[in-house]
Amino acid sequence: MQLVRTEDQELLAKTAADFVAEHSPLSRVRTLRDARDPIGYSPDLWRQMAELGWVGIPFPEELGGAGMGLSELAVVMEELGRVLAPEPFLSSVLLGGGAVMLAGTDEQKKAWIPEVAGGRTQLTLAWQEPGSRHHLQRVATRAEKEGGGYRLVGEKIQVLDGTSADALVVTARVSGADDDPAGIGLFLVRRDAPGLVAERQWRVDSRACARLELRDVRVAEEDVLGEPGAALPVLEEVVDRATVGLCAEMLGGLSEAFDRTLAYLKVREQFGVPIGSFQALKHRAARMFVERELSRSAVMAAAAAMDQGNPEARKLVSLAKARCSDAFVLIGNEAIQMHGGIGMTDEHDIGFFLKRARAAEMTFGDAAAHRDRWARLSGY
Amino acid sequence: MSEAAASRDLPDLDTFREEIRRFLEAEAPPSLRGARGGELDGIWGGRKERWDDKPDRKRWLDVMAARGYTAPTWPREYGGAGLTPAHAKVLHQEMRRLELPPPLIGFGLTMIGPTLLQFGTEEQKRKHLPRIVRGEIRWCQGYSEPDAGSDLASLKTRAVREGDHFIVTGQKVWTSYGDQADWMFLLVRTNPEAKKQEGITFLLMDMDSPGVAVRPIKLISGSSPFCETYLDRVRVPVSNVVGRIDGGWTVAKALLGHERSMIADAFGTGGGRRARNEAETLAGFARRYLGEREGRLADPVLRDRLAQNEMDARVFELTLQRTRDAARAGQAPGPEASLFKLYGTELNQRRQELMVSIAGPAALGWEGPGFSEEELALTRNWLRSRGNTIEGGTSEIQLNIIAKRVLGLPD
């Protein structure tokens, strides 16, 4: 495992950084929030990102993708994460698209992936439920066999980009108790399916989410993904891959929050000197720098390990998620403290990073949850 | 010799690996396979080393030194092997494969050697480097003084010129292994009138010189390798100045960089403490003291701390690796040595504290019956680790360095 970017990856990062500088200022987060934009991202920019080939990065070339890895996708998502760009990489490429790639038949993949990779169709994954926290096996939504297909009843929450997705991969239980690892299935539900009610949820970080009600939603046989009842391992794999992407976004966000704070320490004057000359702040800035460097190593290692099928990959994903969660919250908090009063105002942008930090921390398990998973995977 | 020149007559990496493998399998004493080579049990060499009861270690040193493999990347004309970093990595990988300890450790290899390569005169390099490579001379560091710790530049040891010699008088403290060393590299004040950084000179001094007295220091953890060194009108030839007279601070800082890298490396790669089986891991240790419930460590709070510590150690290793990978790829250096010194030492402290918490009352032994050897060592190691964030530049100094040199924050 080499922890250094290839020339191609450097070029990709440069292209992404230039694109962000030209088209995607941080102020987009505020504009979309204040407009109460129903889908919460820019379809126009999403189309451009697809044209640049980014949306298709992790999909095979024969399915319209670029045939690259998580390492390349992470490079792009880090740059987008710097400005908290809300386009649906996480939901459509990694979660929904990932579920079809890993659980779908060849026919299902042919039907969905080229459209997803081209940015023309948007998918997502509906797994979280009230009270499920990050536990993937806590599924109360039921799937009853009906003819060749299934009938879904239940509720899903905080489904990323759930009101704009063309179809949703829904986790539902064909057997067992609510916490049973066995008995979970994956079902593709189209947006216009009768009985599906999706309402926009407004989160602290303004990332678009939906609450779903599934009132006897019928899923045809061809929309059942994988073997109903045995989906948990593949679901974990999908979420692990998505977690790497999320960590890359977090790395971008915490880096940007740190850079902005560092710049402020050099220009803000009190007592006639820049506040960055005070040792109480210098030392804390140095500690944030350390955390950023460690986070970067963890994200690169997790992406490389997943791409190479390294036996330690799952542990490294937990390492990255725990590290980025703690580092992003630390830097989000310190960024506000070091900006002082202005940092507390809604008018200043720095608060967006703390909000995203908490939302990202809670997504796919916080640091404590991933320490516990590390311990389990290590046999203690 | 430039790296390009060195690599021209080196075989390609695969051929080199084959050669090294054959060489090690033929020449490395089998008794040393699996032997540890850390600070306490490594091969330090020097005039005072007693080889009588360890002939295999002497042979291991000699066969490696003959090929320059004790200092693999140093130029051949000074006794090194002239290897590129990539070839040196192959050598280390093959040594690790056979679980062989380093043939030689010490401050000659890690601190004064690299400094002489950078600042030494041709005569100094030819005199000192080959003797370091062969393990003939053991070095110690004369930097800190009773009133010059973090504020090192305020040091007071005086050197007054008399003809071809400096007459050195003063006191050095925290001289690691001062009682074992043959030579000392030290900082002295040659110009008391100048600004404090500008009146300092970097000297090389034979510890057998008349007027040198060494006294060991006892620590909160018990006996230690640290010493106080008293210098009473010691005569040091002017030809032993490294760099310029009054220009020693530049040399001193470069050496501190080598020291930080060495400390970081020791903590990052686990030094001699890499676990060789499950029982030696932190988890194995915890299992013995805490027991298990439903297949997991019985104490969930300590379990969480253990996972945190393992994960911190892993991400630290990955960051060291990332820095090395970037350097090999010719990219700009990443995080500085200060980061590694800071994080590595604090990480070790957290690990020692965690082990004490896990062992509970069994970690309270000082000596005598009722405590195992391992438990007694645990107590001492924990106490000793408190010094990790002080020696080699305190954590606060490392934070200052990062803030100033990496982040560009104003004074």
Side-chain angles (χ1 to χ4, degrees):
Chain A
M1 188 159 67
Q2 284 281 315
L3 296 183
V4 64
R5 279 181 177 173
T6 62
E7 273 177 39
D8 287 348
Q9 288 167 355
E10 285 291 350
L11 191 64
L12 192 57
K14 171 83 167 61
T15 312
D18 290 348
F19 180 88
V20 163
E22 192 177 346
H23 300 290
S24 182
L26 180 63
S27 60
R28 284 212 296 135
V29 177
R30 181 184 303 279
T31 310
L32 290 163
R33 179 196 70 174
D34 291 351
R36 290 181 75 78
D37 189 278
I39 67 168
Y41 72 88
S42 158
D44 183 45
L45 283 184
W46 182 238
R47 192 167 51 244
Q48 292 183 47
M49 292 174 186
E51 282 163 10
L52 284 163
W54 300 347
V55 179
I57 282 178
F59 300 112
E61 287 178 68
E62 62 271 24
L63 293 173
M68 293 192 276
L70 277 179
S71 299
E72 283 74 25
L73 188 59
V75 164
V76 172
M77 288 181 80
E78 179 188 338
E79 293 303 328
L80 296 171
R82 276 192 166 263
V83 290
L84 311 178
E87 278 64 37
F89 280 93
L90 194 56
S91 59
S92 189
V93 176
L94 285 168
L95 288 171
V100 173
M101 271 309 297
L102 290 176
T105 61
D106 284 349
E107 273 180 14
Q108 288 169 326
K109 285 191 247 184
K110 273 183 208 145
W112 290 96
I113 296 302
E115 293 302 302
V116 172
R120 296 178 294 274
T121 290
Q122 190 190 326
L123 296 179
T124 189
L125 179 72
W127 61 275
Q128 201 167 199
E129 300 184 356
S132 73
R133 298 180 68 90
H134 63 277
H135 301 284
L136 297 177
Q137 82 277 14
R138 284 191 194 163
V139 178
T141 297
R142 308 298 296 192
E144 303 290 341
K145 190 106 169 93
E146 192 178 83
Y150 284 83
R151 188 165 48 80
L152 270 47
V153 179
E155 179 186 356
K156 297 288 175 181
I157 57 166
Q158 297 192 32
V159 180
L160 293 171
D161 302 304
T163 51
S164 53
D166 299 297
L168 309 99
V169 178
V170 176
T171 62
R173 186 169 284 292
V174 295
S175 66
D178 288 358
D179 203 20
D180 196 338
I184 299 167
L186 296 173
F187 305 90
L188 260 167
V189 174
R190 294 159 199 252
R191 182 166 50 181
D192 55 3
L196 174 67
V197 181
E199 62 174 347
R200 174 75 195 263
Q201 284 187 295
W202 299 89
R203 279 199 333 197
V204 65
D205 67 333
S206 345
R207 186 164 227 165
C209 286
R211 191 183 80 88
L212 304 186
E213 273 185 51
L214 298 139
R215 300 173 182 161
D216 292 320
V217 174
R218 304 173 81 124
V219 177
E221 194 172 0
E222 74 257 26
D223 287 343
V224 177
L225 285 174
E227 190 193 333
L232 188 61
V234 73
L235 183 62
E236 284 175 344
E237 176 80 6
V238 169
V239 169
D240 270 351
R241 289 175 58 82
T243 302
V244 174
L246 175 63
C247 286
E249 273 191 10
M250 294 168 84
L251 176 63
L254 66 89
S255 296
E256 181 69 18
F258 175 65
D259 288 347
R260 285 176 184 235
T261 303
L262 189 61
Y264 189 72
L265 291 177
K266 293 176 185 175
V267 297
R268 168 70 172 173
E269 292 196 358
Q270 289 286 275
F271 307 103
V273 292
I275 60 173
S277 64
F278 300 135
Q279 203 173 44
L281 300 185
K282 275 183 182 172
H283 283 192
R284 280 155 55 195
R287 293 213 178 261
M288 287 194 270
F289 165 76
V290 172
E291 286 303 317
R292 186 189 71 184
E293 292 303 319
L294 297 175
S295 298
R296 177 172 298 284
S297 311
V299 172
M300 289 177 86
M306 289 296 280
D307 284 339
Q308 293 162 12
N310 184 313
E312 274 210 299
R314 300 182 68 200
K315 280 177 77 171
L316 290 172
V317 171
S318 281
L319 184 73
K321 186 57 171 52
R323 197 88 225 167
C324 290
S325 296
D326 283 344
F328 202 0
V329 170
L330 169 81
I331 291 174
N333 286 340
E334 288 284 59
I336 293 202
Q337 179 68 23
M338 292 186 184
H339 276 80
I342 193 77
M344 281 299 294
T345 63
D346 180 68
E347 190 187 351
H348 200 285
D349 287 341
I350 200 73
F352 285 129
F353 293 96
L354 177 61
K355 292 173 176 178
R356 175 57 62 82
R358 276 292 177 193
E361 177 205 24
M362 303 296 180
T363 305
F364 311 140
D366 63 9
H370 280 278
R371 286 196 297 273
D372 188 61
R373 193 172 87 141
W374 171 283
R376 282 181 190 279
L377 292 170
S378 305
Y380 60 86
Chain B
M1 197 190 303
S2 73
E3 186 165 304
S7 61
R8 261 201 300 276
D9 50 349
L10 285 172
D12 66 71
L13 292 178
D14 290 337
T15 313
F16 182 69
R17 189 182 298 278
E18 285 301 311
E19 283 178 21
I20 286 292
R21 201 169 280 190
R22 275 198 302 277
F23 164 72
L24 291 177
E25 283 176 0
E27 299 294 338
S31 66
L32 291 186
R33 292 199 186 180
R36 301 215 154 176
E39 182 176 337
L40 294 179
D41 39 21
I43 302 170
W44 288 82
R47 298 195 289 245
K48 300 186 179 90
E49 179 76 83
R50 303 185 60 80
W51 298 108
D52 326 351
D53 55 341
K54 38 195 174 186
D56 282 357
R57 287 171 173 256
K58 175 75 169 119
R59 195 157 68 79
W60 175 226
L61 167 61
D62 289 344
V63 296
M64 290 293 274
R67 290 186 163 218
Y69 289 162
T70 47
T73 58
W74 291 8
R76 285 179 193 159
E77 62 261 46
Y78 306 126
L83 299 188
T84 67
H87 286 83
K89 189 180 175 188
V90 168
L91 171 64
H92 288 134
Q93 283 169 344
E94 291 304 313
M95 283 170 57
R96 233 189 350 262
R97 202 175 58 83
L98 296 179
E99 293 189 62
L100 289 162
L104 183 66
I105 61 173
F107 310 134
L109 289 175
T110 52
M111 290 201 261
I112 187 64
T115 306
L116 284 177
L117 279 171
Q118 193 179 351
F119 295 99
T121 62
E122 191 56 31
E123 186 197 341
Q124 286 167 346
K125 287 192 265 195
R126 291 201 179 278
K127 173 172 179 187
H128 294 291
L129 295 177
R131 295 198 291 167
I132 291 172
V133 170
R134 294 195 297 267
E136 291 169 10
I137 294 295
R138 182 166 174 177
W139 286 83
C140 64
Q141 179 181 28
Y143 268 36
S144 298
E145 297 181 6
D147 291 327
S150 288
D151 181 14
L152 181 60
S154 70
L155 58 95
K156 295 199 185 75
T157 294
R158 283 282 282 132
V160 179
R161 182 137 183 196
E162 273 188 25
D164 290 343
H165 285 78
F166 280 110
I167 309 300
V168 182
T169 300
Q171 185 189 346
K172 294 291 175 181
V173 73
W174 306 119
T175 324
S176 300
Y177 303 101
D179 52 347
Q180 312 282 321
D182 307 306
W183 277 69
M184 171 188 271
F185 52 90
L186 73 163
L187 299 178
V188 294
R189 184 157 305 284
T190 36
N191 184 352
E193 313 300 326
K195 201 174 138 222
K196 63 182 180 180
Q197 282 90 353
E198 287 161 15
I200 291 172
T201 298
F202 191 108
L203 284 183
L204 308 176
M205 181 189 81
D206 190 332
M207 293 292 277
D208 284 346
S209 310
V212 178
V214 179
R215 192 182 71 86
I217 300 173
K218 195 170 173 185
L219 296 183
I220 56 172
S221 49
S223 62
S224 85
F226 292 113
C227 296
E228 289 176 293
T229 306
Y230 298 88
L231 305 167
D232 181 16
R233 297 193 51 79
V234 181
R235 290 171 64 81
V236 178
V238 171
S239 60
N240 285 5
V241 171
V242 180
R244 211 165 38 75
I245 292 172
D246 292 346
W249 188 244
T250 310
V251 185
K253 279 193 299 184
L255 186 137
L256 285 175
H258 295 304
E259 181 182 14
R260 276 194 292 274
S261 305
M262 173 198 70
I263 293 174
D265 235 38
F267 285 100
T269 56
R273 68 148 206 252
R274 188 176 289 278
R276 278 177 293 172
N277 55 53
E278 203 282 332
E280 280 184 13
T281 63
L282 207 47
F285 175 82
R287 213 169 269 125
R288 289 202 296 283
Y289 284 96
L290 303 174
E292 286 185 299
R293 196 154 43 229
E294 292 169 8
R296 306 198 69 189
L297 279 179
D299 186 319
V301 175
L302 288 170
R303 183 170 71 214
D304 181 71
R305 280 178 63 192
L306 200 159
Q308 177 81 61
N309 198 275
E310 278 196 349
M311 294 166 86
D312 287 351
R314 190 62 200 279
V315 80
F316 183 55
E317 274 178 28
L318 289 168
T319 305
L320 282 166
Q321 187 199 330
R322 179 159 71 86
T323 307
R324 285 192 296 265
D325 288 351
R328 258 201 303 279
Q331 294 183 5
E336 307 293 312
S338 290
L339 182 161
F340 297 123
K341 202 282 174 183
L342 173 75
Y343 198 83
T345 53
E346 292 184 348
L347 172 63
N348 187 51
Q349 289 181 338
R350 291 199 296 277
R351 180 186 165 98
Q352 299 299 333
E353 289 179 332
L354 173 61
M355 289 176 79
V356 164
S357 297
I358 288 170
L364 296 179
W366 186 251
E367 59 188 19
F371 300 99
S372 68
E373 286 294 316
E374 183 192 34
E375 286 162 353
L376 292 172
L378 180 66
T379 314
R380 307 283 180 126
N381 290 342
W382 154 62
L383 284 165
R384 178 63 188 82
S385 75
R386 300 317 306 167
N388 295 160
T389 48
I390 301 169
E391 60 210 335
T394 62
S395 287
E396 289 70 23
I397 293 290
Q398 308 309 321
L399 290 166
N400 283 348
I401 293 173
I402 294 171
K404 181 174 178 172
R405 298 205 204 135
V406 184
L407 304 181
L409 287 168
D411 280 328

